[in-house]
Amino acid sequence: MARLDVNRSGEMEVFARAVELGGFSPAARALKMTPSAVSKLISRLEARLGARLLNRSTRKLLLTAEGEAFHERALRVLADIDEAECAVAASQAPRGRVRINSNVPFGLHHLLPLVPRFSAAYPQVTLDIVLSDTVVDLMDARTDVAIRVGPMRASQLMARKLGESAMAVVASPAYLARHGAPKTPRDLAGHNCIGFNFARHCDKWPFVFEGERLSLPIHGDATAGDGETSRQLVLVGQGLARLSHFHIGGDIAAGRLVPVLEACNPGDVEEIHAVYVGHGGQLPMRVRAVIDFLVGEVDLTRPPAIAVL
């Protein structure tokens, strides 16, 4: 049985903050403690558990296998404590920081325009938004909610679907005026096609032509590391790209981009989900507020709310 004079939640909070900030000194500053007090507390925690949780060096802290397991569970316990405190608070309003990771196109065109409305509805919640096309590990990146575009892979993450969006091959009017529009998918061999430079990306575009499903390799003089860069290259007339309507719908509606080869479009769609770590079915109110808000407010049938040119 645990001794009553051991503040286990306090130990967990100090340990979690040291891991989050990467050292005893920054954790001490954040918690208004001394570095030696943080060090002694974590050493006492390790002694009580009978396991080393951190490998210390002069430059950084590294979690051991036991430390990783304890850290994951400690975050869950601290989130549950926060949830319990919020549940009995007089206002019962969500509060605290929520880190959201989104790919660049969705973040720019759909997430950021919703921030003022969310902040007005939940003034005690602080959003920490990171836009990156790199797929992050939610635990490693201390991320509460991540936006994932494309097929969901098997994992222990929970997911809420935000919608789905059709794909289209597009070009700018200026590019088409110079080079003409491809009439069949095989005409793309004579066009500048902008692909992606992701390590796992395969630069082949799918089509249906004369009753046959095709997957054609594309070639060009530029590749992009994210969808927004690809969009910008198409807008300035560099070539053609295959992008999602949730990203370029506003450009098509405004005439800045023109779909081509629509008769050969196979009709595939990209699904968009909000994913998160499910804590046994329990989520902090601040995280649930973000997820429920996105599910209710994201509408991929409308053109993007902003157009970055």
Side-chain angles (χ1 to χ4, degrees):
M1 180 178 297
R3 292 174 55 186
L4 295 180
D5 61 351
V6 176
N7 183 358
R8 293 191 291 171
S9 64
E11 290 178 340
M12 288 180 181
E13 184 172 3
V14 172
F15 172 73
R17 189 59 65 92
V19 172
E20 177 185 3
L21 299 178
F24 293 166
S25 294
R29 288 193 295 270
L31 296 169
K32 297 182 179 180
M33 301 171 63
T34 64
S36 62
V38 171
S39 178
K40 288 177 181 178
L41 186 148
I42 292 178
S43 294
R44 186 168 65 245
L45 172 64
E46 291 177 321
R48 183 164 59 80
L49 296 177
R52 177 176 288 276
L53 304 178
L54 295 167
N55 286 320
R56 304 156 177 83
S57 73
T58 56
R59 299 182 63 183
K60 60 182 178 179
L61 300 177
L62 295 175
L63 284 167
T64 65
E66 293 80 7
E68 289 181 357
F70 183 79
H71 181 247
E72 179 178 350
R73 291 179 179 271
L75 291 178
R76 294 181 184 180
V77 170
L78 292 171
D80 288 343
I81 291 173
D82 186 65
E83 176 77 3
E85 291 178 345
C86 289
V88 298
S91 65
Q92 295 193 15
R95 63 185 180 188
R97 182 178 68 91
V98 178
R99 174 168 287 186
I100 306 174
N101 179 280
S102 172
N103 70 350
V104 177
F106 185 90
L108 286 176
H109 296 277
H110 293 276
L111 176 61
L112 296 187
L114 293 176
V115 170
R117 200 181 311 167
F118 177 87
S119 295
Y122 300 99
Q124 297 183 65
V125 177
T126 300
L127 298 181
D128 180 355
I129 300 172
V130 177
L131 302 186
S132 170
D133 276 43
T134 301
V135 177
V136 301
D137 182 291
L138 271 67
M139 295 299 296
D140 287 347
R142 314 288 186 265
T143 296
D144 298 297
V145 183
I147 306 300
R148 296 279 168 84
V149 177
M152 291 294 297
R153 298 184 177 183
S155 74
Q156 295 182 340
L157 296 175
M158 307 296 289
R160 297 277 301 277
K161 187 174 180 180
L162 301 181
E164 58 185 32
S165 183
M167 305 290 293
V169 178
V170 292
S172 70
Y175 176 89
L176 295 176
R178 293 195 308 271
H179 303 283
K183 294 181 172 55
T184 75
R186 300 193 188 281
D187 291 342
L188 291 176
H191 282 269
N192 199 41
C193 299
I194 299 167
F196 291 105
N197 55 26
F198 309 147
R200 296 172 297 179
H201 186 77
C202 178
D203 274 332
K204 290 186 177 182
W205 291 353
F207 297 98
V208 174
F209 183 62
E210 296 180 343
E212 180 184 1
R213 295 191 70 88
L214 306 175
S215 183
L216 299 179
I218 55 100
H219 306 281
D221 59 11
T223 58
D226 61 75
E228 183 61 23
T229 300
S230 181
R231 169 180 174 261
Q232 294 290 344
L233 288 170
V234 179
L235 284 170
V236 299
Q238 184 67 22
L240 299 96
R242 191 169 193 265
L243 299 169
S244 180
H245 271 268
F246 84 79
H247 187 190
I248 55 171
D251 297 317
I252 294 174
R256 290 185 293 266
L257 294 178
V258 179
V260 299
L261 297 174
E262 279 296 278
C264 303
N265 192 324
D268 56 320
V269 298
E270 283 192 321
E271 293 188 347
I272 296 135
H273 291 85
V275 301
Y276 54 97
V277 178
H279 303 301
Q282 298 296 319
L283 279 176
M285 285 176 30
R286 64 187 186 279
V287 178
R288 184 171 298 282
V290 168
I291 296 170
D292 289 345
F293 180 86
L294 290 175
V295 171
E297 295 295 329
V298 170
D299 184 357
L300 300 180
T301 65
R302 295 198 303 256
I306 60 174
V308 180
L309 300 176

